[in-house]
């Protein structure tokens, strides 16, 4: 992909931890390695290319929406840290499964752009082409090349699935096929689960039982009931991000008869549900520790509660009338705040479960 940066890919600004003021990141024509790395980090944080030179790595980060891949990494790391002290754990199979779910997320992002463009949903006026350059509409790549990328990534995932199935048995196949089916059905005709108010449930199942449970099983060859419970708190946070995003898109989705849950509920009730999912994470985290589905150091996840105070007000009121200065993903608003919380809460949860693994504090 050698296309030059499109006119629509204007430089955005990198947000600080409070999603407030930002600094401009510029990559010169002949950058040093450090300047390149700063550009890659900027693109990975904002989903947008930096000002100046855009290289192949940056273009790939923007094209795949790599900024949201940490949600999948957290789910996979939770599974691995819960599994690492369990009988049958094999590091190689875990790492292969972790790579598999990350690639599945990449494929999902690419297929969403393909299918939504194909059915006419993604246009220059739709949020997808406004908060970041759309791979096809902005000219970063062509429909054919994007299709080739989707096919290629899915083929690599298929090879991983075959290897893990041979090593661990048919249940791995069930997890893999189930994940692919939900990924494709999210936007692909004829099901288009997102359009039928089922996209949020899709995400809950995918980032919870399928990713965490499937990765744990691939790593160990067995799956106790506690892992199903342990997968649910973080799945609520991922669902909250999607609720925020779909709430942002109500004015755009409603005229297109895209009946996401926020469209069906309306903005105020959708925000109430989003806040409820965030609070539900903390409640379910405590419950999961109480029933010994998570080790007690996982309660370090409660350290993210101060972030709830930061995001609560913007998740309780109408969005600004116009783009705030330095805000990187406008017209998304609620999604950015929900993601800010999910990123911080997921990080401290992983640290807590990692401490349990290091000191051999088992939950079950």
């Amino acid at each position: 992909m050698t296309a030059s940066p499109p006119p629509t890919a204007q430089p955005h600004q990198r947000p600080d931890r409070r999603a407030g003021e930002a600094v401009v990141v510029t990559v010169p024509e002949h950058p040093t390695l450090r300047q390149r790395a700063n550009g890659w980090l900027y693109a990975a944080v904002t989903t947008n290319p930096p000002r100046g030179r855009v290289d192949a790595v940056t273009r790939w980060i923007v094209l795949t929406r790599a900024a949201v891949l940490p949600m999948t990494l957290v789910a996979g790391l939770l599974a691995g840290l819960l599994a690492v002290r369990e009988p049958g754990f094999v590091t190689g199979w875990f790492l292969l499964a972790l790579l598999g779910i990350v690639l599945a997320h990449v494929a999902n992002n690419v297929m969403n752009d393909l299918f939504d463009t194909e059915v006419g949903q993604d246009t220059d006026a739709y949020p997808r082409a406004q908060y970041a350059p759309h791979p096809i509409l902005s000219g970063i790549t062509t429909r054919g090349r994007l299709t080739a990328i989707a096919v290629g990534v899915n083929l690599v995932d298929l090879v991983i699935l075959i290897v893990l199935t041979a090593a661990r048995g048919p249940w791995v196949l069930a997890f893999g096929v189930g994940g692919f089916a939900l990924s494709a059905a999210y936007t692909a005709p004829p099901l288009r689960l997102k359009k039928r108010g089922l996209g949020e449930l899709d995400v809950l199942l995918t980032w919870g039982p399928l990713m965490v449970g499937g990765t744990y099983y691939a790593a160990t060859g067995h799956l106790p009931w506690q892992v199903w419970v342990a997968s649910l708190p973080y799945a609520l946070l991922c669902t909250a991000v999607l609720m925020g995003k779909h709430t942002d898109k109500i004015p755009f989705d409603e005229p297109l008869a895209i009946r996401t849950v926020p469209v069906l509920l309306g903005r105020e009730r959708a925000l109430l549900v989003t806040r409820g999912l965030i609070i539900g994470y903390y409640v379910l985290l405590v419950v999961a520790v109480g029933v010994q589905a998570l080790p007690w150091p996982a309660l370090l996840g409660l350290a993210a509660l101060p972030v709830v105070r930061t995001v609560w007000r913007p998740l309780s009121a109408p969005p600004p009338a116009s783009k705030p200065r330095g805000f990187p993903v406008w017209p998304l608003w609620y999604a950015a705040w929900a993601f800010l919380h999910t990123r911080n809460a997921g990080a401290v949860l992983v640290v807590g479960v990692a401490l349990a693994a290091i000191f051999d504090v088992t939950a079950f």
Side-chain angles (χ1 to χ4, degrees):
M1 292 175 287
T2 58
S4 59
T8 55
Q10 295 297 319
H12 290 250
Q13 295 181 321
R14 179 180 171 186
D16 66 15
R17 293 175 61 85
R18 293 168 290 116
E21 289 306 313
V23 295
V24 176
V25 174
T26 301
V27 178
E29 184 62 29
H30 301 289
T32 63
L33 179 59
R34 182 175 181 178
Q35 289 168 332
R36 287 175 182 266
N38 285 338
W40 300 337
L41 178 61
Y42 173 82
V45 170
T46 67
T47 74
N48 283 277
R51 174 181 294 165
R53 187 179 188 277
V54 178
D55 60 16
V57 174
T58 304
R59 195 172 291 115
W60 178 261
I61 291 171
V62 172
L63 185 150
T64 61
R65 283 184 275 171
V68 295
L69 295 182
M71 292 199 304
T72 294
L73 279 172
V74 167
L77 289 174
L78 287 175
L81 291 169
L82 289 173
V84 68
R85 295 280 189 173
E86 295 301 310
F89 178 82
V90 176
T91 302
W93 298 145
F94 161 66
L95 292 176
L96 196 59
L98 181 62
L99 175 62
I101 62 173
V102 171
L103 289 178
H105 192 174
V106 170
N108 175 263
N109 288 344
V110 173
M111 290 190 300
N112 283 354
D113 286 335
L114 276 171
F115 292 133
D116 285 345
T117 304
E118 186 68 29
V119 300
Q121 175 183 313
D122 281 357
T123 64
D124 289 331
Y126 195 71
R128 174 63 186 95
Q130 296 180 40
Y131 69 78
H134 188 286
I136 298 172
L137 300 178
S138 68
I140 291 178
T141 190
T142 64
R143 191 187 307 262
R145 288 177 179 173
L146 198 63
T147 300
I149 291 171
V151 171
V153 174
N154 278 312
L155 283 176
V156 173
D157 246 356
L158 177 61
V159 172
I160 292 174
L161 180 61
I162 292 171
V163 172
L164 290 176
T165 300
R168 292 304 196 187
W171 276 110
V172 173
L173 182 64
F175 278 109
V177 172
F180 178 80
L182 287 177
S183 175
Y186 180 78
T187 53
L191 293 179
R192 298 196 69 197
L193 298 178
K194 179 177 70 172
K195 188 175 181 179
R196 304 173 191 277
L198 295 172
E200 292 77 9
L201 178 60
D202 185 323
V203 164
L204 181 70
L205 293 175
T206 299
W207 267 265
L210 278 177
M211 281 193 182
V212 178
T215 303
Y216 184 100
Y217 184 86
T220 65
H222 59 92
L223 186 61
W225 66 266
Q226 291 93 336
V227 176
W228 297 104
V229 177
S231 74
L232 295 177
Y234 185 68
L236 293 183
L237 293 184
C238 296
T239 308
V241 174
L242 186 67
M243 283 290 297
K245 184 177 182 180
H246 285 171
T247 303
D248 288 321
K249 293 163 71 174
I250 287 175
F252 304 89
D253 286 341
E254 200 166 22
L256 298 175
I258 299 173
R259 304 192 182 283
T260 61
V261 169
V263 167
L264 296 173
L265 293 178
R267 185 181 68 197
E268 291 187 4
R269 283 182 290 183
L271 290 177
L272 180 62
V273 171
T274 304
R275 298 194 301 272
L277 289 169
I278 291 173
I279 295 302
Y281 160 74
Y282 294 97
V283 173
L284 200 50
L285 176 61
V286 173
V287 170
V289 171
V291 300
Q292 296 184 320
L294 282 170
W296 67 261
L299 291 175
L300 184 63
L302 298 176
L305 276 168
V307 185
V308 177
R309 295 180 59 187
T310 300
V311 305
W312 199 259
R313 179 171 293 181
L315 290 176
S316 305
S322 59
K323 178 182 176 179
R325 184 173 179 269
F327 201 78
V329 289
W330 190 260
L332 299 186
W333 174 254
Y334 300 123
W337 292 102
F339 182 77
L340 175 68
H341 174 263
T342 296
R343 182 182 65 192
N344 284 273
V348 291
L349 177 61
V350 165
V351 171
V353 180
L355 289 173
I358 292 169
F359 294 103
D360 197 15
V361 180
T362 58
F364 49 88

